[in-house]
Amino acid sequence: MKKLSRKAKELFGDDDDSASDFTDDESDMQTAIDAIDPFILLADTLAGISAAAPERHQRLVAACTADPSGAAALEALLRHAEVQRQEKAKAAASIAV
């Protein structure tokens, strides 16, 4: 590793500004998108499509589940979304108390 580091310094110089570009304060920074759970978003989107366009939903699910691994993956994603939803509800309830 040291050898690679020396080689990189030879090629690019010893300008180590990259370490100062990222501080511990920035690692704790939160954005609005951090609150979005991608699994819950996917499950809600599929539910919305099912309600708004049942035929489209049916075709989409059929395409995703055409082979057994796709069916298992979709089922696992939806189960995980439900677990995440329950955990978020518990966390919100504990904060409210």
Side-chain angles (χ1 to χ4, degrees), residues 1-53:
M1 192 66 143
K2 289 181 181 180
K3 186 176 181 180
L4 289 174
S5 179
R6 275 195 304 270
K7 186 69 174 174
K9 286 179 183 178
E10 288 173 14
L11 292 173
F12 303 110
D14 195 12
D15 188 19
D16 196 12
D17 287 339
S18 62
S20 64
D21 290 344
F22 186 77
T23 66
D24 288 335
D25 294 337
E26 291 171 342
S27 66
D28 294 334
M29 196 167 71
Q30 296 260 328
T31 65
I33 199 167
D34 291 338
I36 297 172
D37 184 289
F39 297 100
I40 295 173
L41 179 62
L42 174 64
D44 290 349
T45 301
L46 287 174
I49 293 170
S50 178

Side-chain angles (χ1 to χ4, degrees), residues 44-62:
D44 290 349
T45 301
L46 287 174
I49 293 170
S50 178
E55 303 83 24
R56 179 178 278 175
H57 177 266
Q58 199 170 28
R59 287 192 310 267
L60 178 62
V61 170

